[in-house]
Amino acid sequence: YEELKFKVEESKPDIVGIYFSTFYLYDSILTARIVKRVNPEIFTVAGGPHVYLYPYETIDLPEIDYVVFGEGEIVFKVLVESLGKRNRADEILGVLTKTNRNRISLVKQRIPDLDQLPLPARHLSPYRKYSSILAKRNPITTFMSSRGCPYSCYFCNNLESGQKVRFRSAKNVVDELESCISLGVYDIFFFDELFTLNRRRVNDICDEIMRRSLPIRWHIRSRADTIDEGMVKKLKKAGCRLIQFGIESGSSHIQKVINKKLSLEQVQKNIKMVRDNGILTYADFMFGLPEESNEEMKQTVEFAMKLNLDYAWFGPFHTIPETEFYRRGLDTKKIKFDYWKSYVENVPEPIQQYWWPDFNYEDLTEFLFYAFRSFYLRPKYIWQRLLKTDSVPQLLSEAKAGIKALGKLVLKHG
């Protein structure tokens, strides 16, 4: 935060936009506070998923001047132009101010045609600094080619992007990929919530990449039941190097409880199909879900190992606000009080209470240690990673990251 203070002093901005996530609310407020300490005349603008959940609580923060409610690309430009002309922002739809809280300004902004947006100006960011142990060569960049997710998993809220999925056209997507190459960025991480939802668009993007002969390596995120072998072969041919799957649990019972409803048999079949076609596999899993037993958590670890994945991530289930599980917990008194609301109204420090009441932090940490150790310290896995490593620097980077992660777990476990 001292470096942040120095950066604000050095750059002397007129406006600072700050991403607000409820889980990291403390950090966002502290950032805004530092900005105002440097210069109270700097305009601070809050955006992100938190403001959808708690718009009035956000604008009531003394450190915040404006809240952008919804997708910000267009409305933020309007706000900046208005402030530049010294005009009031009370009349801008999608902008909440200190004085218009009861007016129609609290209208979520949605951009129906994503192709109308200009391509990101990566050259204005320190893009050469971004790296990943999953990349074949750094720097890397992240990329969004669609917004929204049509599914309704009970652990998730998609208030920010919505359930109606909006897609960028294949030409628009590949134009941006080409602009990344012009900067010397060849490893692209697609962060679409579900890249493989529209098979025709996947094919069109792959065909356009191959037509232009772009030498990129790209990663995508998918559900394990929205792919087929024809799609996977096309993805591989177009340079897709890794597919990340949100599997969450290796228990059929828990799949139903969380409303994910994946067939574990189909998951196994499709993961194998992806691996057989030469694409790396990565899966995310959660522990501490409602109705989950210790035996079912062990099943998840065993299932992850059975899938023969290249990478796996295990994390605790977080009861985030405005999700089905959080509402259900409050309704049934499983969750004794609305602790997110209480936290938002009085943020003394980072929140600590975020797991399901049937579990505690110490037990979940212990199980995470067991999961990572069981998955990554298998001789078979280590040998396979050695054989699949693209380069010595990547191998060293993966080993360093693994040791660091396990070291943190050992400290917590100990």
Short mmCIF file of all heavy atoms in Angstrom, two decimals, residues 191-245:
data_model
loop_
_atom_site.label_atom_id
_atom_site.label_comp_id
_atom_site.label_asym_id
_atom_site.label_seq_id
_atom_site.Cartn_x
_atom_site.Cartn_y
_atom_site.Cartn_z
N PHE A 191 -10.91 -16.07 -20.37
CA PHE A 191 -11.60 -16.14 -19.08
C PHE A 191 -13.11 -16.11 -19.24
O PHE A 191 -13.83 -15.81 -18.28
CB PHE A 191 -11.11 -15.00 -18.16
CG PHE A 191 -9.99 -15.43 -17.27
CD1 PHE A 191 -8.75 -15.73 -17.79
CD2 PHE A 191 -10.18 -15.57 -15.90
CE1 PHE A 191 -7.71 -16.14 -16.99
CE2 PHE A 191 -9.14 -15.97 -15.08
CZ PHE A 191 -7.91 -16.27 -15.62
N ASP A 192 -13.62 -16.44 -20.42
CA ASP A 192 -15.06 -16.62 -20.58
C ASP A 192 -15.53 -17.65 -19.57
O ASP A 192 -14.86 -18.66 -19.33
CB ASP A 192 -15.38 -17.15 -21.98
CG ASP A 192 -14.92 -16.24 -23.09
OD1 ASP A 192 -13.79 -15.74 -23.02
OD2 ASP A 192 -15.70 -16.03 -24.03
N GLU A 193 -16.71 -17.41 -19.01
CA GLU A 193 -17.22 -18.37 -18.03
C GLU A 193 -17.48 -19.73 -18.67
O GLU A 193 -17.37 -20.76 -18.01
CB GLU A 193 -18.49 -17.81 -17.38
CG GLU A 193 -18.21 -16.57 -16.54
CD GLU A 193 -19.47 -15.95 -15.97
OE1 GLU A 193 -19.97 -16.48 -14.96
OE2 GLU A 193 -19.94 -14.95 -16.52
N LEU A 194 -17.82 -19.73 -19.95
CA LEU A 194 -18.08 -20.99 -20.64
C LEU A 194 -17.81 -20.81 -22.14
O LEU A 194 -18.72 -20.55 -22.93
CB LEU A 194 -19.53 -21.44 -20.39
CG LEU A 194 -19.95 -22.82 -20.90
CD1 LEU A 194 -18.95 -23.89 -20.48
CD2 LEU A 194 -21.34 -23.17 -20.37
N PHE A 195 -16.55 -20.95 -22.54
CA PHE A 195 -16.14 -20.68 -23.91
C PHE A 195 -16.81 -21.62 -24.90
O PHE A 195 -17.10 -21.24 -26.04
CB PHE A 195 -14.61 -20.81 -24.02
CG PHE A 195 -14.07 -20.47 -25.37
CD1 PHE A 195 -13.76 -19.16 -25.70
CD2 PHE A 195 -13.86 -21.46 -26.33
CE1 PHE A 195 -13.26 -18.84 -26.96
CE2 PHE A 195 -13.37 -21.16 -27.58
CZ PHE A 195 -13.06 -19.83 -27.90
N THR A 196 -17.08 -22.85 -24.49
CA THR A 196 -17.55 -23.89 -25.42
C THR A 196 -19.07 -23.99 -25.51
O THR A 196 -19.59 -24.97 -26.03
CB THR A 196 -16.98 -25.26 -25.01
OG1 THR A 196 -17.35 -25.52 -23.64
CG2 THR A 196 -15.46 -25.27 -25.13
N LEU A 197 -19.79 -22.99 -25.01
CA LEU A 197 -21.25 -23.08 -25.00
C LEU A 197 -21.84 -23.12 -26.39
O LEU A 197 -22.76 -23.89 -26.68
CB LEU A 197 -21.83 -21.88 -24.23
CG LEU A 197 -23.34 -21.85 -24.07
CD1 LEU A 197 -23.82 -23.03 -23.24
CD2 LEU A 197 -23.80 -20.54 -23.44
N ASN A 198 -21.30 -22.29 -27.30
CA ASN A 198 -21.82 -22.19 -28.67
C ASN A 198 -20.85 -22.88 -29.62
O ASN A 198 -19.81 -22.34 -29.97
CB ASN A 198 -22.00 -20.72 -29.04
CG ASN A 198 -22.66 -20.53 -30.39
OD1 ASN A 198 -22.32 -21.19 -31.36
ND2 ASN A 198 -23.61 -19.60 -30.46
N ARG A 199 -21.17 -24.09 -30.03
CA ARG A 199 -20.25 -24.90 -30.84
C ARG A 199 -19.92 -24.23 -32.17
O ARG A 199 -18.78 -24.27 -32.63
CB ARG A 199 -20.86 -26.29 -31.10
CG ARG A 199 -20.78 -27.22 -29.92
CD ARG A 199 -21.55 -28.51 -30.17
NE ARG A 199 -21.23 -29.53 -29.20
CZ ARG A 199 -21.71 -29.58 -27.96
NH1 ARG A 199 -22.54 -28.63 -27.56
NH2 ARG A 199 -21.36 -30.55 -27.13
N ARG A 200 -20.91 -23.63 -32.78
CA ARG A 200 -20.68 -22.99 -34.07
C ARG A 200 -19.67 -21.85 -33.94
O ARG A 200 -18.78 -21.70 -34.79
CB ARG A 200 -22.00 -22.46 -34.66
CG ARG A 200 -21.83 -21.80 -36.01
CD ARG A 200 -23.17 -21.43 -36.61
NE ARG A 200 -23.01 -20.76 -37.88
CZ ARG A 200 -24.03 -20.35 -38.64
NH1 ARG A 200 -25.28 -20.54 -38.23
NH2 ARG A 200 -23.82 -19.74 -39.79
N ARG A 201 -19.80 -21.07 -32.88
CA ARG A 201 -18.86 -19.96 -32.71
C ARG A 201 -17.45 -20.47 -32.42
O ARG A 201 -16.47 -19.90 -32.88
CB ARG A 201 -19.33 -19.04 -31.58
CG ARG A 201 -18.58 -17.69 -31.55
CD ARG A 201 -18.96 -16.89 -30.34
NE ARG A 201 -18.33 -17.40 -29.15
CZ ARG A 201 -17.45 -16.71 -28.42
NH1 ARG A 201 -17.11 -15.48 -28.76
NH2 ARG A 201 -16.92 -17.24 -27.33
N VAL A 202 -17.34 -21.55 -31.64
CA VAL A 202 -16.03 -22.15 -31.39
C VAL A 202 -15.36 -22.53 -32.71
O VAL A 202 -14.19 -22.23 -32.95
CB VAL A 202 -16.15 -23.37 -30.46
CG1 VAL A 202 -14.80 -24.10 -30.35
CG2 VAL A 202 -16.61 -22.96 -29.07
N ASN A 203 -16.13 -23.18 -33.56
CA ASN A 203 -15.60 -23.58 -34.88
C ASN A 203 -15.19 -22.36 -35.70
O ASN A 203 -14.15 -22.36 -36.36
CB ASN A 203 -16.63 -24.40 -35.65
CG ASN A 203 -16.70 -25.84 -35.18
OD1 ASN A 203 -15.69 -26.41 -34.79
ND2 ASN A 203 -17.89 -26.42 -35.20
N ASP A 204 -16.03 -21.32 -35.67
CA ASP A 204 -15.74 -20.13 -36.46
C ASP A 204 -14.44 -19.45 -35.98
O ASP A 204 -13.63 -19.00 -36.79
CB ASP A 204 -16.90 -19.13 -36.36
CG ASP A 204 -18.14 -19.60 -37.13
OD1 ASP A 204 -18.01 -20.53 -37.95
OD2 ASP A 204 -19.22 -19.04 -36.89
N ILE A 205 -14.26 -19.39 -34.64
CA ILE A 205 -13.04 -18.78 -34.09
C ILE A 205 -11.82 -19.60 -34.50
O ILE A 205 -10.79 -19.05 -34.93
CB ILE A 205 -13.14 -18.65 -32.56
CG1 ILE A 205 -14.16 -17.57 -32.19
CG2 ILE A 205 -11.77 -18.31 -31.95
CD1 ILE A 205 -14.47 -17.49 -30.70
N CYS A 206 -11.92 -20.92 -34.36
CA CYS A 206 -10.81 -21.79 -34.73
C CYS A 206 -10.47 -21.64 -36.22
O CYS A 206 -9.29 -21.54 -36.60
CB CYS A 206 -11.14 -23.24 -34.42
SG CYS A 206 -11.21 -23.64 -32.65
N ASP A 207 -11.50 -21.63 -37.06
CA ASP A 207 -11.28 -21.50 -38.50
C ASP A 207 -10.60 -20.18 -38.84
O ASP A 207 -9.70 -20.11 -39.69
CB ASP A 207 -12.61 -21.61 -39.25
CG ASP A 207 -13.15 -23.03 -39.28
OD1 ASP A 207 -12.36 -23.97 -39.08
OD2 ASP A 207 -14.37 -23.19 -39.50
N GLU A 208 -11.01 -19.10 -38.15
CA GLU A 208 -10.43 -17.78 -38.44
C GLU A 208 -8.98 -17.71 -37.96
O GLU A 208 -8.13 -17.10 -38.63
CB GLU A 208 -11.27 -16.70 -37.76
CG GLU A 208 -10.89 -15.27 -38.13
CD GLU A 208 -11.14 -14.91 -39.58
OE1 GLU A 208 -11.84 -15.66 -40.28
OE2 GLU A 208 -10.62 -13.85 -40.01
N ILE A 209 -8.68 -18.33 -36.82
CA ILE A 209 -7.30 -18.39 -36.34
C ILE A 209 -6.42 -19.12 -37.35
O ILE A 209 -5.31 -18.66 -37.69
CB ILE A 209 -7.23 -19.08 -34.96
CG1 ILE A 209 -7.84 -18.20 -33.88
CG2 ILE A 209 -5.77 -19.44 -34.60
CD1 ILE A 209 -7.99 -18.88 -32.53
N MET A 210 -6.92 -20.24 -37.86
CA MET A 210 -6.13 -21.03 -38.81
C MET A 210 -6.03 -20.32 -40.16
O MET A 210 -4.99 -20.38 -40.83
CB MET A 210 -6.74 -22.43 -38.96
CG MET A 210 -6.57 -23.28 -37.71
SD MET A 210 -7.13 -25.00 -37.89
CE MET A 210 -8.92 -24.78 -37.89
N ARG A 211 -7.10 -19.63 -40.56
CA ARG A 211 -7.06 -18.92 -41.85
C ARG A 211 -5.98 -17.84 -41.83
O ARG A 211 -5.29 -17.61 -42.84
CB ARG A 211 -8.42 -18.29 -42.13
CG ARG A 211 -8.54 -17.68 -43.53
CD ARG A 211 -9.86 -16.97 -43.72
NE ARG A 211 -9.96 -15.74 -42.94
CZ ARG A 211 -9.39 -14.59 -43.29
NH1 ARG A 211 -8.68 -14.51 -44.41
NH2 ARG A 211 -9.54 -13.51 -42.53
N ARG A 212 -5.81 -17.20 -40.67
CA ARG A 212 -4.80 -16.15 -40.55
C ARG A 212 -3.43 -16.70 -40.12
O ARG A 212 -2.47 -15.94 -39.98
CB ARG A 212 -5.25 -15.08 -39.55
CG ARG A 212 -6.57 -14.43 -39.90
CD ARG A 212 -6.79 -13.19 -39.03
NE ARG A 212 -8.20 -12.80 -38.99
CZ ARG A 212 -8.65 -11.72 -38.37
NH1 ARG A 212 -7.80 -10.91 -37.74
NH2 ARG A 212 -9.95 -11.43 -38.37
N SER A 213 -3.37 -18.02 -39.83
CA SER A 213 -2.12 -18.68 -39.42
C SER A 213 -1.50 -18.00 -38.20
O SER A 213 -0.29 -17.70 -38.17
CB SER A 213 -1.11 -18.69 -40.58
OG SER A 213 -1.64 -19.37 -41.69
N LEU A 214 -2.32 -17.75 -37.18
CA LEU A 214 -1.81 -17.09 -35.98
C LEU A 214 -1.06 -18.08 -35.09
O LEU A 214 -1.61 -19.11 -34.70
CB LEU A 214 -2.97 -16.47 -35.18
CG LEU A 214 -3.83 -15.42 -35.91
CD1 LEU A 214 -4.81 -14.80 -34.92
CD2 LEU A 214 -2.97 -14.36 -36.56
N PRO A 215 0.18 -17.78 -34.73
CA PRO A 215 1.01 -18.71 -33.93
C PRO A 215 0.76 -18.55 -32.43
O PRO A 215 1.68 -18.29 -31.64
CB PRO A 215 2.43 -18.30 -34.31
CG PRO A 215 2.33 -16.82 -34.53
CD PRO A 215 0.96 -16.59 -35.14
N ILE A 216 -0.49 -18.70 -32.00
CA ILE A 216 -0.82 -18.48 -30.59
C ILE A 216 -1.03 -19.81 -29.88
O ILE A 216 -1.30 -20.84 -30.48
CB ILE A 216 -2.09 -17.61 -30.43
CG1 ILE A 216 -3.30 -18.28 -31.10
CG2 ILE A 216 -1.86 -16.22 -30.98
CD1 ILE A 216 -4.61 -17.61 -30.77
N ARG A 217 -0.89 -19.74 -28.55
CA ARG A 217 -1.22 -20.87 -27.67
C ARG A 217 -2.28 -20.35 -26.70
O ARG A 217 -2.04 -19.35 -26.01
CB ARG A 217 0.02 -21.34 -26.92
CG ARG A 217 1.12 -21.86 -27.84
CD ARG A 217 2.42 -22.08 -27.06
NE ARG A 217 2.95 -20.83 -26.56
CZ ARG A 217 3.77 -20.04 -27.26
NH1 ARG A 217 4.13 -20.37 -28.48
NH2 ARG A 217 4.21 -18.90 -26.74
N TRP A 218 -3.42 -20.99 -26.64
CA TRP A 218 -4.49 -20.41 -25.84
C TRP A 218 -5.15 -21.43 -24.93
O TRP A 218 -5.17 -22.62 -25.21
CB TRP A 218 -5.51 -19.69 -26.70
CG TRP A 218 -5.95 -20.36 -27.97
CD1 TRP A 218 -5.17 -20.70 -29.05
CD2 TRP A 218 -7.27 -20.77 -28.32
NE1 TRP A 218 -5.93 -21.28 -30.04
CE2 TRP A 218 -7.22 -21.32 -29.62
CE3 TRP A 218 -8.50 -20.68 -27.69
CZ2 TRP A 218 -8.35 -21.82 -30.28
CZ3 TRP A 218 -9.63 -21.17 -28.34
CH2 TRP A 218 -9.54 -21.72 -29.61
N HIS A 219 -5.68 -20.92 -23.83
CA HIS A 219 -6.34 -21.72 -22.81
C HIS A 219 -7.80 -21.27 -22.71
O HIS A 219 -8.08 -20.08 -22.87
CB HIS A 219 -5.68 -21.53 -21.44
CG HIS A 219 -4.23 -21.87 -21.42
ND1 HIS A 219 -3.48 -21.79 -20.26
CD2 HIS A 219 -3.38 -22.29 -22.38
CE1 HIS A 219 -2.23 -22.15 -20.51
NE2 HIS A 219 -2.14 -22.45 -21.80
N ILE A 220 -8.70 -22.20 -22.42
CA ILE A 220 -10.11 -21.85 -22.28
C ILE A 220 -10.69 -22.50 -21.03
O ILE A 220 -10.10 -23.40 -20.44
CB ILE A 220 -10.94 -22.28 -23.52
CG1 ILE A 220 -10.89 -23.81 -23.69
CG2 ILE A 220 -10.46 -21.56 -24.77
CD1 ILE A 220 -11.82 -24.34 -24.75
N ARG A 221 -11.90 -22.04 -20.65
CA ARG A 221 -12.64 -22.64 -19.54
C ARG A 221 -13.93 -23.25 -20.10
O ARG A 221 -14.57 -22.68 -20.99
CB ARG A 221 -12.95 -21.59 -18.48
CG ARG A 221 -11.69 -20.95 -17.91
CD ARG A 221 -11.93 -20.27 -16.58
NE ARG A 221 -12.81 -19.12 -16.69
CZ ARG A 221 -13.16 -18.36 -15.66
NH1 ARG A 221 -12.72 -18.64 -14.45
NH2 ARG A 221 -13.96 -17.32 -15.82
N SER A 222 -14.33 -24.40 -19.55
CA SER A 222 -15.46 -25.13 -20.11
C SER A 222 -16.15 -25.97 -19.04
O SER A 222 -15.57 -26.23 -17.98
CB SER A 222 -14.97 -26.04 -21.24
OG SER A 222 -16.01 -26.87 -21.73
N ARG A 223 -17.37 -26.37 -19.33
CA ARG A 223 -18.01 -27.47 -18.61
C ARG A 223 -17.61 -28.76 -19.33
O ARG A 223 -17.45 -28.77 -20.55
CB ARG A 223 -19.53 -27.34 -18.64
CG ARG A 223 -20.12 -26.47 -17.54
CD ARG A 223 -21.63 -26.41 -17.67
NE ARG A 223 -22.28 -27.70 -17.46
CZ ARG A 223 -22.96 -28.04 -16.37
NH1 ARG A 223 -23.07 -27.18 -15.37
NH2 ARG A 223 -23.53 -29.21 -16.27
N ALA A 224 -17.50 -29.83 -18.57
CA ALA A 224 -17.07 -31.10 -19.17
C ALA A 224 -18.14 -31.73 -20.05
O ALA A 224 -17.85 -32.70 -20.76
CB ALA A 224 -16.66 -32.08 -18.07
N ASP A 225 -19.37 -31.21 -20.01
CA ASP A 225 -20.43 -31.79 -20.84
C ASP A 225 -20.83 -30.89 -22.01
O ASP A 225 -21.88 -31.08 -22.62
CB ASP A 225 -21.66 -32.11 -19.99
CG ASP A 225 -22.21 -30.90 -19.23
OD1 ASP A 225 -21.63 -29.79 -19.37
OD2 ASP A 225 -23.22 -31.05 -18.52
N THR A 226 -19.99 -29.90 -22.33
CA THR A 226 -20.31 -29.02 -23.48
C THR A 226 -19.25 -29.14 -24.58
O THR A 226 -19.09 -28.24 -25.38
CB THR A 226 -20.41 -27.55 -23.03
OG1 THR A 226 -19.16 -27.13 -22.47
CG2 THR A 226 -21.52 -27.35 -22.02
N ILE A 227 -18.54 -30.26 -24.59
CA ILE A 227 -17.53 -30.49 -25.63
C ILE A 227 -17.78 -31.82 -26.30
O ILE A 227 -18.45 -32.70 -25.75
CB ILE A 227 -16.10 -30.46 -25.05
CG1 ILE A 227 -15.95 -31.52 -23.96
CG2 ILE A 227 -15.75 -29.07 -24.51
CD1 ILE A 227 -14.53 -31.69 -23.44
N ASP A 228 -17.27 -31.98 -27.50
CA ASP A 228 -17.28 -33.27 -28.18
C ASP A 228 -15.94 -33.42 -28.91
O ASP A 228 -15.14 -32.49 -28.97
CB ASP A 228 -18.46 -33.39 -29.15
CG ASP A 228 -18.51 -32.26 -30.16
OD1 ASP A 228 -17.45 -31.92 -30.74
OD2 ASP A 228 -19.61 -31.71 -30.39
N GLU A 229 -15.70 -34.59 -29.47
CA GLU A 229 -14.38 -34.85 -30.05
C GLU A 229 -14.10 -33.98 -31.27
O GLU A 229 -12.97 -33.53 -31.48
CB GLU A 229 -14.22 -36.33 -30.41
CG GLU A 229 -12.79 -36.67 -30.83
CD GLU A 229 -12.43 -38.10 -30.55
OE1 GLU A 229 -13.34 -38.93 -30.39
OE2 GLU A 229 -11.22 -38.40 -30.49
N GLY A 230 -15.13 -33.72 -32.06
CA GLY A 230 -14.92 -32.85 -33.22
C GLY A 230 -14.48 -31.46 -32.80
O GLY A 230 -13.56 -30.88 -33.39
N MET A 231 -15.11 -30.91 -31.77
CA MET A 231 -14.72 -29.60 -31.26
C MET A 231 -13.30 -29.63 -30.72
O MET A 231 -12.50 -28.71 -30.99
CB MET A 231 -15.69 -29.14 -30.16
CG MET A 231 -15.32 -27.79 -29.55
SD MET A 231 -16.23 -27.42 -28.02
CE MET A 231 -17.88 -27.16 -28.66
N VAL A 232 -12.98 -30.66 -29.95
CA VAL A 232 -11.66 -30.74 -29.33
C VAL A 232 -10.56 -30.85 -30.39
O VAL A 232 -9.51 -30.20 -30.28
CB VAL A 232 -11.60 -31.94 -28.35
CG1 VAL A 232 -10.16 -32.20 -27.89
CG2 VAL A 232 -12.50 -31.68 -27.14
N LYS A 233 -10.79 -31.62 -31.41
CA LYS A 233 -9.81 -31.74 -32.49
C LYS A 233 -9.59 -30.38 -33.17
O LYS A 233 -8.46 -30.01 -33.51
CB LYS A 233 -10.26 -32.79 -33.51
CG LYS A 233 -10.13 -34.23 -33.02
CD LYS A 233 -10.53 -35.20 -34.11
CE LYS A 233 -10.42 -36.65 -33.63
NZ LYS A 233 -9.01 -37.03 -33.29
N LYS A 234 -10.68 -29.67 -33.39
CA LYS A 234 -10.58 -28.34 -34.02
C LYS A 234 -9.82 -27.37 -33.10
O LYS A 234 -8.98 -26.59 -33.56
CB LYS A 234 -11.98 -27.82 -34.34
CG LYS A 234 -12.03 -26.45 -35.01
CD LYS A 234 -11.46 -26.46 -36.42
CE LYS A 234 -12.39 -27.11 -37.40
NZ LYS A 234 -13.55 -26.33 -37.77
N LEU A 235 -10.12 -27.41 -31.80
CA LEU A 235 -9.43 -26.56 -30.84
C LEU A 235 -7.93 -26.83 -30.84
O LEU A 235 -7.11 -25.91 -30.86
CB LEU A 235 -9.99 -26.77 -29.43
CG LEU A 235 -11.37 -26.17 -29.13
CD1 LEU A 235 -11.96 -26.77 -27.85
CD2 LEU A 235 -11.28 -24.65 -29.00
N LYS A 236 -7.58 -28.10 -30.83
CA LYS A 236 -6.16 -28.47 -30.83
C LYS A 236 -5.47 -27.96 -32.10
O LYS A 236 -4.36 -27.40 -32.03
CB LYS A 236 -6.05 -29.99 -30.74
CG LYS A 236 -4.64 -30.54 -30.95
CD LYS A 236 -3.69 -30.11 -29.85
CE LYS A 236 -2.33 -30.76 -30.03
NZ LYS A 236 -1.34 -30.29 -29.02
N LYS A 237 -6.11 -28.14 -33.21
CA LYS A 237 -5.53 -27.72 -34.49
C LYS A 237 -5.31 -26.21 -34.54
O LYS A 237 -4.36 -25.71 -35.16
CB LYS A 237 -6.45 -28.16 -35.64
CG LYS A 237 -5.80 -28.12 -37.01
CD LYS A 237 -6.72 -28.72 -38.06
CE LYS A 237 -6.09 -28.67 -39.44
NZ LYS A 237 -7.00 -29.21 -40.48
N ALA A 238 -6.19 -25.45 -33.85
CA ALA A 238 -6.10 -23.99 -33.87
C ALA A 238 -5.18 -23.44 -32.78
O ALA A 238 -5.07 -22.23 -32.63
CB ALA A 238 -7.49 -23.39 -33.72
N GLY A 239 -4.56 -24.33 -31.99
CA GLY A 239 -3.58 -23.86 -31.01
C GLY A 239 -4.02 -23.89 -29.56
O GLY A 239 -3.28 -23.44 -28.68
N CYS A 240 -5.23 -24.39 -29.28
CA CYS A 240 -5.68 -24.48 -27.89
C CYS A 240 -4.79 -25.49 -27.16
O CYS A 240 -4.64 -26.63 -27.60
CB CYS A 240 -7.14 -24.91 -27.81
SG CYS A 240 -7.77 -25.04 -26.12
N ARG A 241 -4.25 -25.05 -26.05
CA ARG A 241 -3.25 -25.84 -25.34
C ARG A 241 -3.76 -26.44 -24.04
O ARG A 241 -3.28 -27.47 -23.58
CB ARG A 241 -2.04 -24.95 -25.05
CG ARG A 241 -0.87 -25.62 -24.39
CD ARG A 241 0.32 -24.66 -24.31
NE ARG A 241 1.40 -25.22 -23.50
CZ ARG A 241 1.48 -25.11 -22.19
NH1 ARG A 241 0.54 -24.44 -21.53
NH2 ARG A 241 2.48 -25.65 -21.52
N LEU A 242 -4.76 -25.81 -23.43
CA LEU A 242 -5.26 -26.28 -22.14
C LEU A 242 -6.74 -25.94 -22.00
O LEU A 242 -7.17 -24.86 -22.42
CB LEU A 242 -4.46 -25.63 -21.00
CG LEU A 242 -4.85 -25.95 -19.56
CD1 LEU A 242 -3.59 -25.93 -18.66
CD2 LEU A 242 -5.88 -24.97 -18.99
N ILE A 243 -7.50 -26.86 -21.41
CA ILE A 243 -8.91 -26.61 -21.10
C ILE A 243 -9.09 -26.78 -19.59
O ILE A 243 -8.69 -27.79 -19.00
CB ILE A 243 -9.86 -27.56 -21.85
CG1 ILE A 243 -9.66 -27.43 -23.36
CG2 ILE A 243 -11.31 -27.26 -21.47
CD1 ILE A 243 -10.55 -28.36 -24.18
N GLN A 244 -9.67 -25.76 -18.97
CA GLN A 244 -9.93 -25.76 -17.54
C GLN A 244 -11.40 -26.08 -17.30
O GLN A 244 -12.29 -25.44 -17.87
CB GLN A 244 -9.58 -24.40 -16.94
CG GLN A 244 -9.81 -24.30 -15.45
CD GLN A 244 -9.37 -22.95 -14.90
OE1 GLN A 244 -8.76 -22.15 -15.59
NE2 GLN A 244 -9.68 -22.68 -13.64
N PHE A 245 -11.66 -27.07 -16.45
CA PHE A 245 -13.02 -27.52 -16.18
C PHE A 245 -13.40 -27.24 -14.72
O PHE A 245 -12.62 -27.52 -13.81
CB PHE A 245 -13.15 -29.03 -16.43
CG PHE A 245 -12.88 -29.44 -17.84
CD1 PHE A 245 -11.61 -29.89 -18.22
CD2 PHE A 245 -13.87 -29.39 -18.81
CE1 PHE A 245 -11.35 -30.27 -19.53
CE2 PHE A 245 -13.62 -29.77 -20.12
CZ PHE A 245 -12.36 -30.21 -20.48
#
